[in-house]
Amino acid sequence: MGVIHFYPNSKLQTMFLPRKATHLIRKANVAAHFTPPPTVGFSAANVSRAMVTMNKDGLGVDTHELEPIFQQKQSLRSKVRKALKNMDPIQKSQEDNAIQNTVVESSWFKASKNVCAYISSPALLEVDTSRIISEVLSSPAKERKKLYVPRVVDRNSNMKMLMISSVDDLIEKSMNILEPALVDSDGIQREDVMQASDPLDLFIMPGLAFDKSGSRLGRSGGYYDLFLKNYQELTKKKRWKQPLLVALSYSVQIIEEGAIPVTPFDIPVDALVSPAGFIPISTAAFRRCE
C-alpha cells in the first residue's frame, strides 16, 4: 500500500490507496453482492415499498396520503445514519479506497469526457470522492475531463452543477461543505452544465441507501432528483444520450430490495459502486461495463 498526496495545500485529504484493483462484478453474480448487512436489519416487512402520484409541490394530493411515505423514509434515514456513524473508521477508510479505485480504474470512467461528481462531506458521512476529483483535475489540460460539481441555490431543492478546474475553485459553505464559487478568479461566471454545449457522460451521486433495483434514498432535500429531472428534460430536447447515473455506497448502505419507499419523483440509479466493485443495474450500465 502506498501513500499518495493529492493537492498538499488543498482542501482534499491525503489518502492511502491499495495497489490491488477491485474486480468488476458481472451480471451472473450481481445478486450475491446485495445481501443486506446485519448491522442495519431492514426488510420489506417493516418498511413497505410505496408509490404515489404527485408533483413537486404535492398539488392535487391529499397530504394524508403522503405522510406515511415521508415517515417511512425518515425512519429508514435514521437507521442508515446510525449504521454509518457506527462504522469502524478503519473499515470506512478501506471501503473509501476500494470504491474510488473501482471508479478511477473503470473503463466507463476513463472513457467519460464530461462528468458530474459530488464533493464528499465528512459531516454528511458520504463516500469519499477526493481521489476521483483529484484524478480528473490532475490530468494534463489537453486530456482533462470537464468536471461539474454541485452548488445549492436555495432551500427549494434547486441546485446547479458548475465546472471547476482546480480545488481552489471551491469555497466552504455551511457544515464545511465545499461548493464551487459562482465566478472564477477573473470574475468570469463558471460554466453551468445546463448551458454546456456537450452532454454529460457520467453522473456520480451520493445517497443514504440503495437497493439492487436502483432505488435511492436521499437526505430528504430532493436536490438531486429535481436536478436530474431537469437535466433529463434537457437531454430529450437536445436529443442527447442520458448520462450514466452511478451512486457510491458503503456496504451498510445497500439494503434489501423493496425496503426503500419510493415515489414517481425518485429517480433510480443505473449502477452502484460498493466495496465489492461495480454493480450494474440498468441495461445502459451493463452495456457500459462490457
Side-chain angles (χ1 to χ4, degrees):
M1 180 179 295
V3 181
I4 297 182
H5 297 271
F6 294 112
Y7 301 98
N9 60 353
S10 76
K11 306 159 181 107
L12 296 180
Q13 68 187 49
T14 299
M15 298 180 58
F16 290 85
L17 303 175
R19 297 185 186 278
K20 185 177 180 182
T22 51
H23 64 280
L24 176 69
I25 298 175
R26 304 305 298 172
K27 184 175 182 180
N29 64 359
V30 168
H33 295 283
F34 280 88
T35 303
T39 55
V40 182
F42 307 124
S43 69
N46 55 35
V47 185
S48 63
R49 187 180 184 87
M51 292 293 292
V52 298
T53 301
M54 61 184 240
N55 59 24
K56 180 66 180 119
D57 300 315
L59 298 177
V61 177
D62 188 339
T63 55
H64 291 90
E65 292 181 44
L66 304 181
E67 191 60 31
I69 295 171
F70 296 148
Q71 289 179 354
Q72 289 167 5
K73 286 192 173 190
Q74 283 303 103
S75 176
L76 188 54
R77 287 186 184 104
S78 296
K79 292 176 181 178
V80 178
R81 286 191 180 103
K82 182 177 180 180
L84 286 169
K85 288 178 181 178
N86 290 336
M87 278 188 75
D88 177 75
I90 295 176
Q91 178 190 354
K92 185 176 183 296
S93 178
Q94 290 172 341
E95 293 197 7
D96 278 328
N97 292 339
I99 291 167
Q100 291 187 96
N101 275 349
T102 295
V103 173
V104 300
E105 293 167 4
S106 69
S107 58
W108 45 268
F109 176 77
K110 292 177 180 178
S112 297
K113 302 298 182 184
N114 302 293
V115 177
C116 271
Y118 68 96
I119 305 295
S120 54
S121 166
L124 297 178
L125 305 174
E126 294 172 326
V127 173
D128 186 20
T129 57
S130 61
R131 185 190 172 195
I132 297 170
I133 300 300
S134 297
E135 188 77 14
V136 175
L137 299 180
S138 63
S139 300
K142 291 183 179 180
E143 304 171 10
R144 188 177 302 165
K145 308 175 191 298
K146 277 191 174 183
L147 177 63
Y148 303 87
V149 299
R151 180 185 172 96
V152 171
V153 175
D154 55 36
R155 294 186 179 183
N156 295 320
S157 302
N158 292 303
M159 177 176 71
K160 291 180 180 288
M161 285 284 177
L162 303 180
M163 191 176 76
I164 63 170
S165 56
S166 166
V167 292
D168 293 331
D169 296 338
L170 301 172
I171 57 176
E172 284 192 6
K173 300 290 285 293
S174 61
M175 296 177 65
N176 298 321
I177 295 174
L178 297 174
E179 294 187 353
L182 287 173
V183 296
D184 62 20
S185 57
D186 297 321
I188 300 173
Q189 193 167 9
R190 297 193 184 283
E191 181 175 291
D192 187 325
V193 76
M194 296 297 290
Q195 277 80 51
S197 56
D198 297 308
L200 283 172
D201 304 302
L202 175 63
F203 201 115
I204 297 176
M205 301 175 60
L208 265 180
F210 311 92
D211 71 18
K212 69 179 182 180
S213 70
S215 295
R216 170 185 173 272
L217 179 71
R219 288 179 169 78
S220 81
Y223 289 96
Y224 280 89
D225 287 319
L226 180 58
F227 178 86
L228 288 172
K229 174 181 176 292
N230 292 335
Y231 191 77
Q232 287 175 351
E233 290 175 356
L234 177 67
T235 59
K236 290 176 182 177
K237 180 180 178 180
K238 290 182 173 287
R239 298 184 179 179
W240 284 346
K241 185 178 179 181
Q242 296 287 343
L244 189 70
L245 305 183
V246 178
L248 308 187
S249 175
Y250 291 118
S251 55
V252 298
Q253 293 178 281
I254 300 177
I255 65 178
E256 181 182 347
E257 184 176 6
I260 299 177
V262 298
T263 74
F265 231 15
D266 300 322
I267 295 179
V269 298
D270 293 307
L272 299 176
V273 178
S274 79
F278 180 68
I279 305 171
I281 296 169
S282 70
T283 301
F286 278 108
R287 288 174 180 166
R288 291 283 289 271
C289 71
E290 287 178 349

